[in-house]
Amino acid sequence: MEESKEWYFEYEIQKNRPGLLGDISSLLGMLSINIVTINGVDEGRRGLLLLTKDSRNIERFESILQTMDTIKVTKLREPKLRDILAVRHGRYIQRDADDKKTFRFVRDELGLLVDFMAELFKQEGHKLIGIRGMPRVGKTESVVAASVCANKRWLFVSSTLLKQTIRSQLIEDEYSDDNLFILDGIVSTRRANERHWQLVREIMRLNSVKVVEHPDVFVQNTEYTLDDFDYIIELRNNPDEEITYEVVDQNDQFSASDFGSFDF
């Protein structure tokens, strides 16, 4: 007998009638497949996380579903992170059609964004994540909240969250692979010296998670490219908002005179 294994099942309702979900639940029960979570994930679609010890039961389940005209199976597979979060939050994370590593969120989805990043942060090993968005949309706060959820210690290498922070060295215990490093591409570019960039290169070699705000500015001024990023996250106030750096250039709002600064 196999170990218990999770599956993701999603279907689109073709003919809605009373008791449809009950029929599907009964069928799963008869096949010894447990329902872990269930939720609507899109208009007219339901997603279920399933658990079974025998994958042959999933094959039997799939063959029975093909005879039903009330639903259309859209997904039946081992769950991906997006599937798990869709069932948890009742909506799918938007993904760029052309660039599969770019994920889009709006401000009223901060809970979903924090949950998504926390799941990424929990994964072991090197991960480079970029986050785009206009000032005060909630980028840094979301990264910090996700770090807390993932039980990670976060370290600002460069930031404007409280005062402008630019670090040029770490103390010994900060080099841990369990730590999460946060960089602001604009601050590092505008204010940093060569010692800071040496530290950035050291951090990039660590087997840990790094989050870079304003990755486009970061790659313009370093040897890194957007291809080096594992994920790009975009956060907007509304779906139509354009992410631009013109406001930053005009107001120079990241300058030290506005914020004061901490140099380490």
Side-chain angles (χ1 to χ4, degrees):
M1 185 70 72
E2 302 173 27
E3 280 186 22
S4 292
K5 185 175 172 182
E6 278 198 336
W7 293 82
Y8 178 66
F9 166 48
E10 184 186 291
Y11 65 87
E12 193 176 285
I13 299 166
Q14 302 293 305
K15 296 178 185 174
N16 204 357
R17 60 169 177 74
L20 176 59
L21 180 58
D23 289 348
I24 293 168
S25 302
S26 299
L27 176 58
L28 288 165
M30 285 189 286
L31 290 167
S32 302
I33 302 170
N34 296 321
I35 298 173
V36 179
T37 321
I38 181 168
N39 205 345
V41 293
D42 203 354
E43 203 167 320
R45 288 192 184 193
R46 263 198 200 102
L48 294 84
L49 276 182
L50 308 174
L51 192 69
T52 182
K53 285 187 175 179
D54 190 346
S55 57
R56 289 174 299 181
N57 288 338
I58 293 290
E59 292 168 18
R60 294 184 187 111
F61 178 56
E62 188 173 21
S63 64
I64 295 168
L65 291 174
Q66 287 168 356
T67 67
M68 298 174 68
D69 60 357
T70 47
I71 66 168
K72 176 187 173 187
V73 179
T74 49
K75 295 182 180 79
L76 185 58
R77 64 189 185 198
E78 291 182 39
K80 299 179 179 180
L81 178 56
R82 286 177 75 227
D83 300 332
I84 293 165
L85 294 178
V87 174
R88 205 181 287 171
H89 291 268
R91 66 175 89 175
Y92 251 98
I93 295 169
Q94 271 199 310
R95 199 174 190 176
D96 191 294
D98 300 318
D99 181 6
K100 296 297 185 188
K101 68 181 179 185
T102 298
F103 298 86
R104 295 196 174 117
F105 298 84
V106 290
R107 194 173 162 76
D108 66 0
E109 297 175 321
L110 284 182
L112 177 56
L113 169 60
V114 168
D115 205 1
F116 175 64
M117 286 198 291
E119 293 298 330
L120 297 181
F121 295 170
K122 286 175 191 173
Q123 296 168 10
E124 290 186 8
H126 164 81
K127 197 165 267 74
L128 185 57
I129 300 166
I131 181 162
R132 295 179 178 128
M134 296 301 285
R136 291 178 294 281
V137 75
K139 298 184 297 298
T140 311
E141 295 84 349
S142 299
V143 173
V144 170
S147 304
V148 174
C149 293
N151 200 24
K152 291 269 188 181
R153 179 186 178 190
W154 70 93
L155 294 165
F156 288 115
V157 182
S158 57
S159 172
T160 58
L161 187 62
L162 297 172
K163 279 177 170 279
Q164 198 167 88
T165 302
I166 298 161
R167 299 195 59 174
S168 56
Q169 62 187 55
L170 300 181
I171 56 177
E172 196 173 332
D173 72 324
E174 291 180 331
Y175 280 98
S176 169
D177 290 346
D178 290 329
N179 291 344
L180 183 139
F181 299 92
I182 305 169
L183 293 89
D184 186 309
I186 291 175
V187 174
S188 286
T189 298
R190 287 276 172 97
R191 290 262 293 121
N193 55 28
E194 185 51 38
R195 285 179 64 202
H196 171 79
W197 284 112
Q198 281 178 340
L199 177 63
V200 169
R201 291 182 193 106
E202 280 182 52
I203 287 167
M204 287 296 179
R205 288 195 291 269
L206 293 177
N207 199 31
S208 61
V209 179
K210 280 75 68 170
V211 180
V212 177
E213 296 181 33
H214 311 294
D216 307 279
V217 177
F218 179 76
V219 299
Q220 283 171 16
N221 298 277
T222 65
E223 62 266 36
Y224 303 100
T225 70
L226 288 176
D227 290 337
D228 294 317
F229 284 81
D230 300 293
Y231 297 90
I232 298 284
I233 291 163
E234 296 181 349
L235 178 58
R236 293 172 168 82
N237 287 295
N238 60 71
D240 301 320
E241 182 179 54
E242 185 183 353
I243 297 171
T244 171
Y245 299 101
E246 287 172 18
V247 178
V248 175
D249 292 334
Q250 287 165 9
N251 297 341
D252 198 18
Q253 70 177 70
F254 290 91
S255 68
S257 59
D258 290 337
F259 283 90
S261 65
F262 288 143
D263 287 353
F264 296 100

